[in-house]
């Protein structure tokens, strides 16, 4: 019997090397050319793989076929970075100004690539097939997942699993939940057009800033008074752009924000009421408006059977496990789960001693790299439970 824990431990230096190379050389969503080339080069060294390149736009799908018949199980990792300045003082600090892996995608990719190499060394043990999906552009809508699915990334796949490192949880703990796990994130941009003028004579103007202020306050009532309290919804305005001088009334005011929901009908209500309220306020104030609402990724909905596989894997590995509450963040892993049974889970990577507690999308974000060993072991155990190993 293979001692997988020992095999993974022996791969730790490889895990770290890949992750730190990627951390030093991040690329933004839809611009991951060098990252793509690096991954493709590494995968081509594994002669038992069949590889499809440029799936979607620059995704890679590799398949390792076993010597015995069985299921085909897929695993996915994303490899894009964020427009954030890396402020850590570490040897592997980002070398690209204003760009860093601030969400753990470097760790996701290092884990999946090393997992692929490990299985390649033990291909003779496979009773079925394993598919490795390397995805671009998770961070930026419309993302890479839908394009990859549309381009056949899941062809022949029976089930799919994905992992996300999470600094808010203790290193190597496992968290997931059945059914709705992560929200559907939407974007809206609104411009209110008034009539500019002198700050001393507001009665001769139509002040869009006053209208915007009233609008921002009023839209919170959509959640508190239009949505069933049992359902979940968030409306957040994150950006306001208006005015150029303290004593001038601006012609326009623009706001941008996000809506987070789990149910399509709640999303429909919020989108409708955002514009209805805006229209009413503009009519009342003789202003006009532009309303742009863009729907984001679907809700991440785990399937019951695969959720139970993840729980069983964590238990078999004696890892701390917990069902978590639904999260208002978005993830385009949802597109895979819309098309195949599967489960998305979190592997804790937060460790105060290793300065890896900073939240995701933060300039000080880092991983406790020990978590990559845990995620690799989880993938192996999932295959064992599924009967592929």
């Amino acid at each position: 019997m293979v001692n997988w824990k020992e095999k993974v431990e022996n791969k730790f230096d490889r895990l770290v090397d890949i992750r730190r190379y990627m951390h030093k050389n991040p690329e933004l969503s839809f611009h991951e050319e060098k990252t793509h080339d690096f991954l493709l080069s590494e995968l081509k060294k594994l002669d038992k793989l069949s590889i499809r390149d440029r799936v979607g736009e620059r995704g890679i799908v590799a398949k390792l076929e076993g010597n015995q018949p069985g299921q085909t199980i897929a695993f996915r990792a994303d490899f894009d970075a964020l427009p954030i300045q890396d402020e850590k003082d570490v040897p592997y600090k980002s070398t690209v100004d204003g760009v860093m892996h601030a969400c753990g995608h470097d760790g996701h990719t290092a884990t999946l690539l090393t997992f692929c190499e490990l299985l390649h060394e033990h291909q003779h043990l496979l009773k079925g097939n394993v598919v490795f999906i390397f995805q671009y552009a998770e961070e930026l809508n419309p993302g890479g997942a839908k394009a990859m699915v549309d381009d056949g990334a899941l062809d022949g796949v029976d089930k799919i699993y994905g992992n996300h490192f999470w600094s808010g949880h203790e290193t190597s703990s496992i968290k997931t939940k059945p059914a709705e796990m992560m929200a559907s994130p939407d974007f809206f941009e609104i411009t209110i057009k008034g009539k500019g003028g002198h700050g001393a004579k507001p009665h001769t103007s139509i002040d869009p800033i006053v209208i915007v202020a009233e609008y921002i306050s009023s839209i919170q009532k959509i959640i508190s008074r239009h949505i069933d309290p049992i359902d979940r919804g968030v409306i957040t305005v994150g950006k306001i752009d208006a005015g150029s001088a303290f004593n001038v009334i601006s012609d326009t005011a623009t706001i941008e924000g996000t809506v987070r929901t789990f149910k399509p009908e709640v999303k429909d209500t919020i989108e409708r009421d955002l514009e209805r309220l805006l229209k009413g306020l503009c009519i009342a104030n003789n202003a006009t408006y532009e309303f742009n609402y863009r729907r984001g990724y679907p809700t991440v909905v785990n399937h019951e059977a695969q959720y139970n596989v993840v729980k069983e894997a964590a238990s078999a590995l004696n890892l701390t496990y917990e069902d978590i509450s639904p999260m208002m963040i978005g993830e385009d892993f949802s597109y895979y789960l819309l098309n195949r049974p599967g489960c998305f889970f979190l592997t804790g990577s937060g460790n105060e001693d290793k300065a890896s507690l900073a939240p995701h999308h933060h300039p000080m974000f880092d991983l406790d790299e020990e978590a990559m060993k845990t995620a690799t072991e989880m993938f192996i155990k999932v295959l064992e439970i599924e009967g592929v190993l």
Side-chain angles (χ1 to χ4, degrees):
M1 179 178 289
V2 176
N3 185 335
W4 289 111
K5 189 175 185 63
E6 181 180 290
K7 295 291 184 182
V8 172
E9 183 67 43
N10 292 339
K11 288 284 187 180
F12 185 56
D13 288 346
R14 174 66 170 159
L15 281 163
V16 171
D17 286 347
I18 298 170
R19 186 256 166 169
R20 293 189 178 189
Y21 167 81
M22 291 188 62
H23 201 84
K24 291 177 68 174
N25 299 278
E27 293 180 298
L28 293 174
S29 305
F30 296 104
H31 297 279
E32 313 95 327
E33 288 294 346
K34 292 180 181 178
T35 305
H36 162 273
D37 292 348
F38 164 73
L39 293 173
L40 187 61
S41 174
E42 294 302 306
L43 290 167
K44 284 183 174 179
K45 296 175 184 177
L46 307 177
D47 59 0
K48 298 173 187 175
L49 290 180
S50 58
I51 300 171
R52 278 193 63 206
D53 188 20
R54 299 287 172 178
V55 182
E57 186 174 323
R58 59 176 59 83
I60 305 171
V61 178
K63 184 177 182 180
L64 183 63
E65 296 186 3
N67 294 331
Q68 303 175 54
Q71 298 187 85
T72 297
I73 308 295
F75 298 85
R76 170 271 209 167
D78 36 18
F79 55 75
D80 55 327
L82 286 156
I84 297 173
Q85 183 67 39
D86 193 351
E87 295 182 0
K88 299 187 301 297
D89 183 16
V90 292
Y92 49 89
K93 180 177 181 177
S94 171
T95 60
V96 182
D97 190 44
V99 182
M100 72 171 287
H101 276 287
C103 202
H105 295 189
D106 50 348
H108 301 167
T109 301
T111 298
L112 189 63
L113 180 55
T114 305
F115 173 56
C116 180
E117 294 172 349
L118 189 56
L119 289 185
H120 187 268
E121 296 169 7
H122 296 83
Q123 179 256 355
H124 61 285
L125 298 176
L126 291 180
K127 299 180 285 289
N129 313 306
V130 183
V131 170
F132 310 88
I133 298 175
F134 294 88
Q135 183 203 311
Y136 62 98
E138 186 279 327
E139 294 287 359
L140 186 63
N141 191 49
K146 186 177 187 303
M148 291 190 68
V149 170
D150 290 345
D151 197 17
L154 294 177
D155 287 356
V157 169
D158 295 305
K159 300 166 187 174
I160 185 164
Y161 292 87
N163 161 73
H164 200 304
F165 295 115
W166 205 254
S167 64
H169 298 310
E170 181 183 0
T171 294
S172 297
S173 60
I174 303 297
K175 319 282 183 177
T176 190
K177 72 176 299 295
E180 300 166 339
M181 179 178 174
M182 294 179 177
S184 174
D186 297 346
F187 165 85
F188 64 87
E189 180 183 37
I190 292 166
T191 298
I192 295 177
K193 301 177 181 180
K195 178 183 176 183
H198 198 293
K201 302 182 70 177
H203 60 289
T204 65
S205 304
I206 300 172
D207 191 341
I209 294 179
V210 170
I211 302 171
V212 159
E214 185 175 359
Y215 181 71
I216 292 172
S217 178
S218 297
I219 61 176
Q220 300 307 318
K221 298 174 186 175
I222 296 174
I223 299 296
S224 66
R225 290 297 177 266
H226 298 188
I227 303 299
D228 188 327
I230 300 301
D231 295 326
R232 307 174 191 88
V234 167
I235 304 174
T236 296
V237 174
K239 181 180 179 181
I240 304 174
D241 185 10
S244 59
F246 78 97
N247 59 350
V248 176
I249 293 174
S250 176
D251 283 314
T252 63
T254 299
I255 64 172
E256 295 180 9
T258 185
V259 171
R260 306 293 171 118
T261 57
F262 286 92
K263 295 182 177 180
E265 58 268 29
V266 175
K267 183 194 297 280
D268 292 341
T269 297
I270 293 175
E271 181 180 358
R272 180 199 67 203
D273 288 357
L274 280 172
E275 185 169 15
R276 180 183 291 177
L277 181 57
L278 177 64
K279 182 177 181 180
L281 283 172
C282 286
I283 289 173
N285 289 279
N286 294 316
T288 59
Y289 70 87
E290 293 179 357
F291 179 76
N292 175 31
Y293 191 98
R294 186 169 70 240
R295 297 197 172 204
Y297 309 146
T299 304
V300 173
V301 182
N302 285 328
H303 297 247
E304 184 76 21
Q306 288 66 51
Y307 152 78
N308 284 325
V309 168
V310 169
K311 280 187 67 175
E312 185 180 343
S315 175
L317 293 170
N318 295 315
L319 301 172
T320 300
Y321 175 83
E322 181 185 15
D323 275 5
I324 55 172
S325 299
M327 306 170 74
M328 281 298 178
I329 62 171
E331 236 289 350
D332 73 350
F333 192 81
S334 54
Y335 287 110
Y336 301 106
L337 294 175
L338 282 173
N339 287 273
R340 294 291 188 277
C343 184
F344 195 60
F345 64 93
L346 306 180
T347 301
S349 60
N351 186 330
E352 185 174 4
D353 292 338
K354 296 183 179 179
S356 65
L357 294 180
H360 293 248
H361 295 211
H362 188 279
M364 293 296 290
F365 179 84
D366 206 354
L367 284 180
D368 179 354
E369 292 166 327
E370 290 286 328
M372 295 190 292
K373 292 193 296 188
T374 301
T376 307
E377 290 179 27
M378 281 290 294
F379 286 172
I380 291 169
K381 187 58 68 174
V382 164
L383 287 182
E384 289 183 336
I385 295 169
E386 291 282 11
V388 178
L389 261 182

